[in-house]
């Protein structure tokens, strides 16, 4: 893929885009910062048992669209941020984590805690967009390098990585080994 010109758009056919894979995650880059000033876009396969952990960005806005499978998701400030798990968080208006099925869209403004996890035994697939680019591109590349080491995630390395990319981790990232 090359940088866009004002007279040409970008077409990414199904199955195309650079894919970064580990046993814990698969991310296909569909639109990058070299193609858009507005957002980076990805197709993400979320394996069974993967929990990104609740986190918050001060600058990034995100959009998640569930394509296949099911994910537990949340996008709100809880009454109390418990550090071990986000699964039982509740907002001051009574919102709780929900099961997202195909067609569900979640929009996350800057400053809003959010999380997703695949509690099922089947992979889930989502379209994910992050603005502004290219921070999430770089973050995914480096995160997948850490996860490729196998075994339990290196939480110290992930914490340092997230600090560099405007991600305040609120609960742990978890992946089945």
């Amino acid at each position: 893929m090359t940088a866009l010109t004002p007279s040409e758009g970008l077409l990414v056919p199904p199955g195309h885009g650079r894919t970064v894979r580990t046993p814990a995650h698969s991310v296909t880059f569909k639109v990058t910062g070299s193609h858009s000033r507005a957002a980076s876009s990805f197709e993400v396969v979320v394996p069974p048992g993967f929990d990104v952990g609740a986190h918050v960005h001060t600058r990034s806005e995100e959009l998640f669209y569930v394509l296949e499978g099911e994910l537990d998701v949340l996008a709100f400030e809880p009454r109390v941020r418990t550090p071990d798990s986000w699964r039982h968080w509740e907002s001051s208006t009574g919102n709780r984590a929900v099961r997202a099925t195909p067609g569900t869209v979640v929009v996350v403004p800057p400053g809003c805690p959010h999380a997703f996890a695949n509690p099922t035994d089947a992979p889930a697939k989502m379209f994910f967009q992050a603005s502004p680019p290219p921070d999430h591109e770089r973050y995914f590349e480096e995160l997948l390098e850490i996860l490729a080491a196998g075994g339990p995630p290196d939480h110290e390395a992930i914490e340092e990585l997230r600090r560099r990319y405007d991600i305040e981790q609120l609960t742990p990232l978890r992946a089945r080994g």
Side-chain angles (χ1 to χ4, degrees):
M1 290 189 244
T2 59
L4 300 179
T5 65
S7 61
E8 291 190 26
L10 174 70
L11 173 70
V12 183
H16 287 74
R18 186 169 64 89
T19 300
V20 183
R21 281 190 233 293
T22 71
H25 222 56
S26 174
V27 176
T28 301
F29 292 57
K30 295 293 189 174
V31 180
T32 67
S34 63
H35 306 114
S36 172
R37 294 179 308 226
S40 299
S41 299
F42 312 90
E43 186 177 271
V44 179
V45 176
V46 183
F50 186 83
D51 179 348
V52 74
H55 58 282
V56 65
H57 312 278
T58 59
R59 297 181 307 275
S60 291
E61 179 173 285
E62 297 179 336
L63 178 141
F64 303 91
Y65 183 90
V66 179
L67 299 167
E68 298 173 8
E70 298 180 354
L71 295 171
D72 287 346
V73 298
L74 75 74
F76 57 78
E77 180 64 56
R79 289 181 191 169
V80 177
R81 291 181 179 183
T82 54
D84 56 329
S85 176
W86 55 270
R87 302 289 185 128
H88 302 290
W89 285 6
E90 184 176 337
S91 75
S92 60
T93 60
N95 286 331
R96 300 183 71 89
V98 298
R99 180 69 47 97
T101 56
T104 301
V105 174
V106 179
V107 177
V108 183
C112 178
H114 56 287
F116 64 85
N118 183 348
T120 74
D121 290 327
K125 187 185 289 186
M126 69 176 171
F127 176 79
F128 168 63
Q129 196 166 55
S131 177
D135 281 0
H136 259 78
E137 298 161 38
R138 294 177 184 144
Y139 169 73
F140 275 138
E141 291 169 338
E142 293 181 44
L143 174 63
L144 293 176
E145 284 177 22
I146 292 168
L147 296 177
D154 179 343
H155 292 291
E156 276 186 35
I158 293 169
E159 186 177 319
E160 190 277 328
L161 174 69
R162 288 182 167 207
R163 267 195 303 272
R164 283 192 287 123
Y165 289 107
D166 182 39
I167 303 169
E168 178 188 351
Q169 192 69 29
L170 305 175
T171 66
L173 178 145
R174 294 183 171 98
R176 287 187 190 155

